[in-house]
């Protein structure tokens, strides 16, 4: 056995991760259909005015505003209709004194008109249109370029493409946009006992859980999960596995990172890179490692997650997801936190910062943590509470902040 010589605090682990992250520089073009949620990789400048022409903002009548001065329902202005203008249609009519054109919302304003009177303020009598209220110049008109002027920066590099920003890119006529590539994340489970779900268990074997929980976290936080075949517990097999993952932007192994004699990830790292930390004062998830692997392109960050499924997933939420988001240039994820009374006392004898899963029932938080090896500690939980290292436990009924998954 090779015990941890020391652990570092969660804060220190976070500091080292922040210092190690190199946001992705690769960019690609994606179609607008696929752009939402991506991070823009270059400023987007408008080549045109939006709207490209002055248009009506109402269904009504395009008029010369001064024709309608003093108009009321009892003393309407009377105008002769020259045309009926639909959207997508340029009218050749010229609106002069005493005339108007019926116009639809979004249709181009005809020459001469300087206001639109909405249909509710008009009356049709025979050949004449009665205007029942005075219009001011410019009323109900969308000026050319009022939304976006030619040359305006519509999106800045680094902006997260929200639905509204995708819409702005569409409005200026672009069918695609440059975005930062999603980091490719190699995911690999280690352990002689670990086999793929879907196959039959031989004695002593278990199904791989971590590959799937890690893959789900990676996909949810802007990465592309690239699963690899599980590796056996030999240093040679692990080095070979590291090499097989070498082209990824981030490598995540699980298992083999604790202190058992078969926990050889540490030795494999020594052969291919530099350990940044190994051992964090958290529970679950103490045997988590982070390293930088040497390679042609400089270095690849490496997470060695614990094999225990709950420890692995817990630290994937707490450490891996924020790191990946920074790598992907995504904004910080702010999970929802709700306050609830604790339904049953939790004892916490450990001197480690504890993440304790809870289940919410009728607004009360009940402990859901079974053991680090039990995936139901998470599958039956709605979120977790944090118990600082110096706190002995939490009493029943005490208010707790539940971070929802
Ligand atoms: P290790 O970190 O390799 O010492 O593994 C700790 C525990 O987690 C052992 O009970 C392993 O069998 C289990 N374990 C390791 N990897 C996985 C995995 N990918 N899926 C489910 N359980 C695992
Ligand atoms: Mg193992």
């Amino acid at each position: 056995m090779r015990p941890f010589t020391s652990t570092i605090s969660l804060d220190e682990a976070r500091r080292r991760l922040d210092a190690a992250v190199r946001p992705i520089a690769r960019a690609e073009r994606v179609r607008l259909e696929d752009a939402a949620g991506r991070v823009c990789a270059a400023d987007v400048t408008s080549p045109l005015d939006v709207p490209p022409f002055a248009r009506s903002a109402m269904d009504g009548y395009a008029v010369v505003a001064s024709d309608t001065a003093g108009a009321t329902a009892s003393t309407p202005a009377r105008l002769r209709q020259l045309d009926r203008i639909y959207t997508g249609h340029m009218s050749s009519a010229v609106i002069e004194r005493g005339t108007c054109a019926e116009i639809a919302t979004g249709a181009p304003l005809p020459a001469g008109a300087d206001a639109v009177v909405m249909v509710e303020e008009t009356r049709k009598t025979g050949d004449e249109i009665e205007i029942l209220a005075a219009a001011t110049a410019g009323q109900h008109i969308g000026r050319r370029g009022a939304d976006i002027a030619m040359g305006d920066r519509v999106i800045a590099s680094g902006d997260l493409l929200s639905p509204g920003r995708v819409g702005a890119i569409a409005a200026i006529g672009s069918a695609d946009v440059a975005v930062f590539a999603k980091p490719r994340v190699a995911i690999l489970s280690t352990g002689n006992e670990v086999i793929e779900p879907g196959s039959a268990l031989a004695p002593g074997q278990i199904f791989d859980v971590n590959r799937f929980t890690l893959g789900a976290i990676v996909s949810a936080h802007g990465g592309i999960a690239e699963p690899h075949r599980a590796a056996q517990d030999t240093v040679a097999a692990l080095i070979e596995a590291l090499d097989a993952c070498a082209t990824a932007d981030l490598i995540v192994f699980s298992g083999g990172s604790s202190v058992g004699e078969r926990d050889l990830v540490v030795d494999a790292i020594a052969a291919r890179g530099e350990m940044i930390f190994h051992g964090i004062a958290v529970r679950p998830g103490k045997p988590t490692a982070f390293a930088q692997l040497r390679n042609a392109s400089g270095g690849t960050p490496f997470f060695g997650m614990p094999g225990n499924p709950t420890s692995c997933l817990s630290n994937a939420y707490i450490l891996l997801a924020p790191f990946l988001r920074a790598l992907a240039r995504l904004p910080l994820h702010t999970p929802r936190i709700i306050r609830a009374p604790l339904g049953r006392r939790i004892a916490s004898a450990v001197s480690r910062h504890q993440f304790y899963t809870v289940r919410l029932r009728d607004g009360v938080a009940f402990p859901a943590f079974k053991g680090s090896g039990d995936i139901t500690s998470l599958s039956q939980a709605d979120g977790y509470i944090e118990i600082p290292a110096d706190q002995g436990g939490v009493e029943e009924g005490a208010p707790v902040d539940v971070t929802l998954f």
Side-chain angles (χ1 to χ4, degrees):
M1 299 280 272
R2 293 173 303 176
F4 288 105
T5 46
S6 62
T7 56
I8 59 170
S9 69
L10 179 61
D11 284 345
E12 177 61 20
R14 285 178 165 143
R15 267 193 292 279
R16 292 188 194 182
L17 290 170
D18 287 348
V21 68
R22 300 277 172 274
I24 196 143
R26 256 189 350 269
E28 62 194 20
R29 288 199 82 81
V30 293
R31 300 183 328 143
L32 275 198
E33 290 84 333
D34 304 319
R38 304 295 298 271
V39 179
C40 187
D43 287 359
V44 177
T45 302
S46 179
L48 44 72
D49 288 330
V50 180
F53 49 86
R55 64 186 177 188
S56 177
M58 291 281 176
D59 288 338
Y61 290 87
V63 301
V64 176
S66 57
D67 270 356
T68 67
T72 65
S74 52
T75 58
R78 296 197 162 83
L79 302 175
R80 185 164 57 87
Q81 182 176 329
L82 301 182
D83 199 1
R84 182 175 283 174
I85 311 171
Y86 301 105
T87 51
H89 162 72
M90 295 298 295
S91 172
S92 56
V94 178
I95 309 303
E96 290 166 334
R97 303 222 54 157
T99 67
C100 67
E102 190 181 331
I103 191 164
T105 304
L109 198 71
D114 66 357
V116 170
V117 179
M118 57 182 179
V119 70
E120 293 84 344
E121 292 179 342
T122 66
R123 200 160 48 210
K124 204 172 196 143
T125 53
D127 287 345
E128 278 185 339
I129 306 302
E130 293 183 342
I131 306 295
L132 312 179
T136 54
Q139 114 179 356
H140 304 321
I141 290 174
R143 257 189 323 106
R144 171 178 175 156
D147 192 1
I148 299 167
M150 186 195 294
D152 275 358
R153 188 176 71 181
V154 177
I155 311 288
S157 178
D159 280 351
L160 179 66
L161 293 176
S162 60
R165 288 177 179 154
V166 173
I169 299 168
I172 64 166
S174 293
D176 50 30
V177 59
V179 296
F180 286 105
K182 291 186 175 196
R184 295 173 42 222
V185 184
I187 299 175
L188 189 144
S189 301
T190 73
N192 297 341
E193 76 283 24
V194 174
I195 68 159
E196 283 285 296
S199 40
L201 281 180
Q205 292 184 328
I206 57 162
F207 290 120
D208 191 348
V209 173
N210 299 340
R211 179 156 92 61
F212 300 94
T213 55
L214 289 170
I217 291 282
V218 163
S219 305
H221 294 278
I224 298 173
E226 296 187 341
H228 287 252
R229 277 203 358 218
Q232 296 284 301
D233 288 313
T234 67
V235 176
L238 292 177
I239 291 174
E240 196 180 309
L242 284 177
D243 292 343
C245 298
T247 62
D249 297 304
L250 170 63
I251 302 174
V252 185
F253 279 21
S254 69
S257 78
S258 64
V259 295
E261 57 184 311
R262 279 184 177 277
D263 296 323
L264 308 167
V265 164
V266 177
D267 298 324
I269 293 302
R272 285 292 183 269
E274 185 202 347
M275 196 67 98
I276 308 291
F277 62 73
H278 181 214
I280 311 173
V282 294
R283 182 187 137 93
K286 177 167 137 182
T288 296
F290 180 74
Q292 290 281 4
L293 304 186
R294 288 180 293 270
N295 63 22
S297 58
T300 307
F302 169 91
F303 274 90
M305 307 302 273
N308 272 322
T310 284
S311 310
C312 178
L313 179 52
S314 183
N315 273 359
Y317 276 114
I318 291 152
L319 299 172
L320 173 62
F323 184 87
L324 174 57
R325 295 185 74 88
L327 194 62
R329 298 174 182 266
L330 291 171
L332 279 179
H333 176 59
T334 42
R336 217 150 66 79
I337 297 176
I338 63 160
R339 180 158 275 221
L342 190 64
R344 199 168 65 239
R345 177 170 197 282
I346 297 174
S348 171
V350 295
S351 58
R352 287 185 267 155
H353 188 97
Q354 199 167 346
F355 293 88
Y356 205 103
T357 51
V358 295
R359 178 171 38 246
L360 290 167
R361 288 292 173 270
D362 302 323
V364 178
F366 289 96
F369 190 79
K370 288 166 76 179
S372 305
D374 303 320
I375 188 61
T376 50
S377 292
L378 276 146
S379 67
Q380 296 179 3
D382 298 301
Y384 60 83
I385 64 169
E386 298 186 44
I387 308 175
D390 58 4
Q391 198 175 312
V394 188
E395 296 306 321
E396 179 176 332
V400 290
D401 288 324
V402 180
T403 302
L404 299 178
F405 292 131

